[in-house]
Amino acid sequence: FLDDIGKLVERFSIHFCFIHSSEANEEAVALFLSGKIKYLQIFDIVREAAENAVYIETPTEADIFETDFTAREYVKSRLG
């Protein structure tokens, strides 16, 4: 089990932007469901969030939580 966890951590550097995109997607979908954005805006907002993500080669647990927060805040900031 721990070997699998280690492999995942090693691959985080490759997939870190996907974490950012996933969190942005969750926030954008919530905004859509609450009627604050249109459906097609989800894609643009998530793409922009991914483009603005900071690449971290070897993210720590704190980096992952910060990325979650940053992605969600970026999406919320798009409402203006």
Side-chain angles (χ1 to χ4, degrees), residues 12-43:
F12 263 157
S13 62
I14 297 168
H15 299 290
F16 198 60
C17 70
F18 293 111
I19 295 169
H20 192 85
S21 298
S22 176
E23 306 306 341
N25 186 63
E26 287 180 14
E27 194 65 37
V29 169
L31 292 172
F32 165 71
L33 292 174
S34 67
K36 295 181 180 176
I37 64 172
K38 295 179 182 178
Y39 179 74
L40 294 178
Q41 287 179 285
I42 294 171
F43 305 102

Side-chain angles (χ1 to χ4, degrees), residues 49-74:
E51 289 172 352
N52 286 297
V54 175
Y55 175 75
I56 301 172
E57 186 171 337
T58 309
T60 65
E61 184 178 346
D63 293 329
I64 293 168
F65 286 115
E66 179 65 23
T67 295
D68 177 297
F69 176 79
T70 302
R72 292 175 189 277
E73 289 300 306
Y74 178 83

